Amino acid sequence: MTAVENANAGEQYEQYTPSFAEYWDDLVGWDDRLERDGPFYGRLLNAHGAKDVADVACGTGVNAVALALGGFKVTATDGSENMLEKARENAKARGATFNKSCVADWLTLDDTLGKEQYDAIVCLGNSFTHLFDHEQRRDALHAMFRTLRPGGMLIIDHRNYDTMLDEGYSSKHAYNYCGDGVDVGPAQLHRGLAQFHYTFKDGRTFQLNMYPLRQNYVTHLLEDAGFVNVERYGDMQRPFILNQVDFIQQVAFRP
Ligand code: SAM
């Protein structure tokens, strides 16, 4: 197939067509990703005493599976049934069990999962970038806030769009999307849009439209939703030098 596949109608998760879901794991590069992510998120969640954890952008399951194997009681949700189906397959193949898995849109997360249910929510792999509307971002974070128990923790990550916008795109390909032989890069990059192209080993090409989230803006949104004590990591380290990291992790708490 030569045409770029991009389902752009409706909600942003509709970009994750059945065929893109099939290719997603090649991009994720599970083994490298688990080696880096697993211990970092496991440590953070354990340090906070979290047991019930919802991965609300589980995609094909890389973090949800790692957390379930790490002993957390995991609820895996995603807006895309295609991605969730792959997550269930991957969990089964790796011997992981989800406490619950269901389709859930962030905007109505507390209606779907119930209020004050979780010790922690994770929204990883640069997922939050899929909302294009300020009000929707605010409403989504409010819904996540309500889904957490008081004292609960939200971990959300995003690409380092600040440096991308200010200095241009470069990537170490060492975090989140580590898959071998997948060519990833922005086709368009400006304040209102980061459009990434993904070319896989067999020549198949997909694209995703994303909103370039600046780190201060995300922190502001978190605080606006009521979260406190927001801490940032750069490529899972603190302190960090902004233009030397690919991804920012923001950790926030419901008081
Ligand atoms: N966390 C996974 C990973 O790291 O591989 C998946 C990341 S993928 C970039 C983003 C995921 O967010 C997709 O699976 C997509 O379906 C989901 N998503 C996008 N918008 C959503 C929304 N409004 N509600 C729930 N999930 C959404």
Side-chain angles (χ1 to χ4, degrees):
M1 167 165 162
T2 48
V4 171
E5 183 169 326
N6 181 14
N8 220 1
E11 303 300 342
Q12 284 295 311
Y13 44 76
E14 289 175 14
Q15 296 182 106
Y16 293 87
T17 57
S19 45
F20 197 11
E22 284 301 322
Y23 277 77
W24 189 257
D25 284 337
D26 291 345
L27 177 64
V28 168
W30 275 61
D31 292 335
D32 285 349
R33 171 102 175 247
L34 291 182
E35 208 174 291
R36 284 193 181 85
D37 281 28
F40 174 77
Y41 293 118
R43 250 193 336 268
L44 266 183
L45 293 166
N46 277 323
H48 196 62
K51 299 203 173 358
D52 279 304
V53 181
D55 181 347
V56 299
C58 73
T60 53
V62 63
N63 291 109
V65 165
L67 294 172
L69 292 174
F72 295 96
K73 194 171 158 195
V74 173
T75 294
T77 71
D78 198 280
S80 159
E81 178 65 46
N82 303 325
M83 297 296 263
L84 190 65
E85 201 42 53
K86 285 295 293 177
R88 292 183 181 125
E89 280 172 24
N90 281 329
K92 199 168 170 203
R94 292 184 182 241
T97 308
F98 297 145
N99 183 50
K100 177 174 176 170
S101 63
C102 62
V103 171
D105 191 303
W106 304 323
L107 292 172
T108 48
L109 196 65
D110 54 326
D111 293 335
T112 312
L113 295 181
K115 294 191 197 323
E116 301 190 7
Q117 290 293 309
Y118 294 93
D119 303 324
I121 289 178
V122 298
C123 181
L124 302 174
N126 195 37
S127 295
F128 199 63
T129 191
H130 283 313
L131 294 181
F132 269 80
D133 178 71
H134 171 78
E135 300 302 319
Q136 287 202 342
R137 285 177 213 121
R138 216 193 49 182
D139 292 349
L141 290 181
H142 275 132
M144 291 180 198
F145 184 93
R146 290 190 297 266
T147 307
L148 281 171
R149 294 193 180 118
M153 174 194 233
L154 170 66
I155 313 175
I156 194 160
D157 77 352
H158 52 90
R159 282 188 185 271
N160 176 3
Y161 287 115
D162 286 273
T163 300
M164 228 184 264
L165 289 168
D166 297 339
E167 300 178 17
Y169 175 76
S170 74
S171 171
K172 301 198 278 278
H173 293 296
Y175 294 92
N176 280 341
Y177 299 114
C178 326
D180 279 340
V182 188
D183 189 38
V184 184
Q188 285 192 65
L189 182 59
H190 54 78
R191 249 187 51 195
L193 175 68
Q195 185 182 72
F196 270 64
H197 269 213
Y198 303 84
T199 307
F200 291 83
K201 274 183 189 153
D202 62 359
R204 187 96 185 241
T205 309
F206 298 87
Q207 74 182 31
L208 283 178
N209 289 338
M210 299 177 262
Y211 179 81
L213 296 160
R214 287 192 178 269
Q215 60 167 358
N216 286 343
Y217 172 62
V218 174
T219 303
H220 166 77
L221 280 173
L222 288 165
E223 289 171 347
D224 188 46
F227 288 97
V228 295
N229 298 339
V230 181
E231 291 168 355
R232 290 178 195 155
Y233 295 76
D235 288 346
M236 300 170 191
Q237 308 277 338
R238 214 166 45 126
F240 63 93
I241 299 169
L242 183 60
N243 70 359
Q244 294 181 10
V245 300
D246 284 347
F247 282 85
I248 312 288
Q249 294 78 33
Q250 305 218 19
V251 182
F253 298 87
R254 175 175 173 161

